[in-house]
Amino acid sequence: MLYVRADRVDQLQDVFYPGPLADEAAIRRFYQDTTEARTGDPYSGFVEKMALLLEDSHISLIHKLFVGHAGVGKTTELYRLKHAAQEQGFFTCFGRCDMDLDSGDMEYTDVLFYILDLLVSRACEEGLRISDAVVKKIENYWNSDAELTRTIFMQEGMEVSLEADAAGGIRKVLHLLAGVRAILKNSAESKKEIRIQIEPRSSELIRQIGEVIADIREELRKRGQREVPFVILDGLDKIPLGQARKIFQENGSRFQGLQLHLLVTFPISLSYTPEYKDIQIWFPSPEKLPMIKIRNWQQGAYESGYTEGFDTIKAMIEKRASLSLFTEGALALLIRGTGGYIRDLFRCICDAALRARLRGSALIEQEDAEKALAVLESDINGRYSDELIGRMEDIYRGNKFVSSSEEITTLLQVGAVLEYNGARWCDLHPLVEKWLLQNHKITRS
């Protein structure tokens, strides 16, 4: 992909595609620092703090949650951290649980397996040797049931003679792990078989991870590199809350003994529940990536003349596209209407650009922005029930520093309520506030 700034409307779909900035070229070209607009503190950058923490942690292990709304920019920050950690010499594994596993059906054993898979695959890529004894243990673990092993290999479409062991040693283990990963992603029936095999033997799986880590650390020590591996797991913020509770609360202790640095994304709605305190036993000192606030709530009122968030988002857009592609009114409407939610903003820019193209226009005008926001408004306001409107009216009237409640958990999960500043300050999504007022669901204050 060519990272070219858009100067025509027909280029906007590419530069505002709502995916993360993954490689260093994209980050250099399009990344805009938003730290101060998110947190109010220029010295609170997530990547910068994490890089220093990794640098300073010679003996201690980092096990952290990374909390934020889906689509707020967490994955881009994680890719930035991956590159920073690699520059520091860390053996770094980056996993997309939302892409490699099944976000709608995930157990703690799936996550443990995925950590093993990432470590073995990355070690092979880096030319780090995993001992024959450890390789054999992993192989035997999955070969305990011949039919299951055959099913695993068939997931990769490979005609494998298990008796002949054509792909022996580490090659066979890589095939095995790839097959298990494919099952956990795509095959409901085979997934049940895998879990039936793993659950009673989860302690053995954890020991295997530990032995792989020990081999990797020894290899890194010989090379004079930082010895503690660093594993980043993205996408766990997207799983259903019931499964998140099982992974992080009921089975969080399973991850505590892993001798590596571990950073995992976490559902923001679960951070507003009583269980959050218990989860922090296993994952202390979580990090948050709040929204970019368009309005600033201070001492019971919105700060007059506050423009920092708006200006930051405008600068982010300008990194990717010429502002001359938008009328001034259209640009302002898109920024204010999406409330600092980057995914929503990019979606609306793309929709407005398509409408402008259909009109044969060379720029996005206010009517294009209005139509794009109307589609998003309809989408968001269909995600919650009328029973939650009273709670939203309470937020609208000034109770923005909310405590834990099932209602807030739901509203955060569906994106009707957004968190700002990382200090439990919430507000209604602007399009939710607009719809509730226009439809007389709440009364104007």
Side-chain angles (χ1 to χ4, degrees):
M1 178 178 178
L2 294 176
Y3 301 108
V4 178
R5 182 170 177 264
D7 57 12
R8 299 194 315 267
V9 172
D10 63 348
Q11 297 172 328
L12 292 174
Q13 300 299 326
D14 284 339
V15 296
F16 289 104
Y17 172 76
L21 301 177
D23 61 65
E24 291 180 282
I27 291 169
R28 283 194 302 270
R29 184 67 188 88
F30 292 141
Y31 182 76
Q32 173 68 35
D33 181 24
T34 60
T35 300
E36 192 164 3
R38 292 185 190 270
T39 67
D41 178 9
Y43 302 107
S44 61
F46 164 72
V47 172
E48 292 72 21
K49 285 196 300 182
M50 281 297 303
L52 286 175
L53 186 58
L54 287 167
E55 182 181 333
D56 294 348
S57 298
H58 300 283
I59 300 173
S60 56
L61 297 175
I62 302 165
H63 284 191
K64 269 186 178 291
L65 304 175
F66 187 31
V67 185
H69 288 276
V72 75
K74 295 191 303 301
T75 302
T76 291
E77 295 299 318
L78 290 175
Y79 275 117
R80 289 183 63 229
L81 178 59
K82 171 195 169 186
H83 298 310
Q86 288 175 333
E87 287 178 8
Q88 289 182 358
F90 280 93
F91 174 89
T92 306
C93 302
F94 190 106
R96 294 288 302 272
C97 297
D98 54 332
M99 297 180 68
D100 292 334
L101 301 176
D102 182 357
S103 294
D105 179 16
M106 198 179 301
E107 300 287 346
Y108 80 93
T109 49
D110 301 3
V111 180
L112 286 171
F113 157 77
Y114 192 44
I115 291 172
L116 174 66
D117 181 27
L118 289 170
L119 289 167
V120 172
S121 300
R122 184 67 179 162
C124 290
E125 289 174 7
E126 292 291 314
L128 301 179
R129 183 178 181 275
I130 298 174
S131 68
D132 293 340
V134 172
V135 168
K136 194 64 179 175
K137 286 181 183 179
I138 298 173
E139 187 180 329
N140 289 340
Y141 185 87
W142 299 105
N143 279 344
S144 59
D145 184 291
E147 186 58 36
L148 179 61
T149 309
R150 192 175 302 278
T151 301
I152 291 170
F153 275 111
M154 290 307 103
Q155 288 295 317
E156 289 292 282
M158 296 178 292
E159 295 294 336
V160 176
S161 169
L162 300 179
E163 293 77 16
D165 191 17
I170 193 65
R171 287 178 57 216
K172 183 175 182 183
V173 165
L174 288 171
H175 287 314
L176 278 166
L177 296 178
V180 174
R181 189 184 341 116
I183 288 172
L184 294 176
K185 172 69 175 176
N186 300 310
S187 177
E189 281 303 312
S190 297
K191 186 188 300 182
K192 291 179 183 177
E193 294 182 46
I194 291 283
R195 288 174 176 167
I196 289 170
Q197 291 290 323
I198 294 179
E199 177 60 36
R201 303 163 60 204
S202 60
S203 296
E204 184 181 345
L205 178 59
I206 292 169
R207 282 196 298 274
Q208 286 178 19
I209 296 171
E211 290 171 346
V212 169
I213 292 171
D215 280 357
I216 289 172
R217 292 183 67 157
E218 176 61 20
E219 289 287 291
L220 292 171
R221 185 190 64 79
K222 290 177 182 177
R223 292 185 177 188
Q225 294 180 233
R226 302 295 294 257
E227 293 181 25
V228 182
F230 181 28
V231 174
I232 301 171
L233 296 182
D234 190 21
L236 288 173
D237 55 317
K238 299 179 177 69
I239 62 177
L241 292 188
Q243 293 183 358
R245 286 186 173 96
K246 287 182 180 179
I247 292 171
F248 291 108
Q249 183 187 19
E250 297 176 20
N251 295 286
S253 61
R254 309 273 186 168
F255 303 93
Q256 189 178 38
L258 300 180
Q259 297 298 297
L260 46 69
H261 299 313
L262 179 62
L263 180 70
V264 297
T265 55
F266 184 80
I268 190 170
S269 51
L270 196 53
S271 72
Y272 277 80
T273 64
E275 298 97 320
Y276 191 44
K277 179 174 68 70
D278 298 332
I279 292 167
Q280 289 184 54
I281 295 172
W282 319 119
F283 296 90
S285 304
E287 294 285 344
K288 281 195 175 184
L289 189 70
M291 293 286 177
I292 301 172
K293 56 184 179 290
I294 303 301
R295 299 184 292 185
N296 190 31
W297 183 261
Q298 287 190 334
Q299 299 178 343
Y302 291 113
E303 179 184 349
S304 176
Y306 176 79
T307 64
E308 184 175 357
F310 182 94
D311 293 341
T312 298
I313 293 179
K314 187 175 179 180
M316 179 186 296
I317 294 171
E318 193 170 15
K319 278 282 184 77
R320 296 173 181 247
S322 170
L323 296 185
S324 64
L325 296 176
F326 306 80
T327 65
E328 187 174 343
L331 184 63
L333 192 63
L334 288 165
I335 294 173
R336 297 196 184 283
T338 49
Y341 202 156
I342 302 305
R343 178 177 292 173
D344 283 356
L345 172 67
F346 284 13
R347 167 183 168 175
C348 287
I349 288 175
C350 289
D351 286 353
L354 282 177
R355 189 176 188 278
R357 292 264 289 146
L358 288 169
R359 291 191 302 103
S361 174
L363 75 164
I364 293 173
E365 297 183 1
Q366 186 156 334
E367 184 181 3
D368 303 315
E370 289 171 351
K371 295 296 184 182
L373 289 167
V375 173
L376 178 60
E377 180 183 315
S378 177
D379 180 4
I380 296 175
N381 287 294
R383 300 174 190 168
Y384 56 84
S385 64
D386 287 351
E387 287 77 13
L388 296 171
I389 291 176
R391 193 69 187 90
M392 290 190 283
E393 183 167 18
D394 195 29
I395 294 171
Y396 171 70
R397 296 198 175 283
N399 185 14
K400 301 187 187 293
F401 296 91
V402 292
S403 58
S404 301
S405 74
E406 187 175 339
E407 293 169 317
I408 287 297
T409 299
T410 301
L411 291 168
L412 285 165
Q413 190 175 19
V414 302
V417 167
L418 308 177
E419 184 188 63
Y420 297 98
N421 277 78
R424 303 185 78 84
W425 172 57
C426 296
D427 211 350
L428 299 181
H429 191 297
L431 297 179
V432 171
E433 180 178 312
K434 174 174 175 275
W435 186 87
L436 291 172
L437 288 169
Q438 285 183 341
N439 290 275
H440 309 291
K441 301 291 185 180
I442 62 177
T443 56
R444 192 173 299 276
S445 57

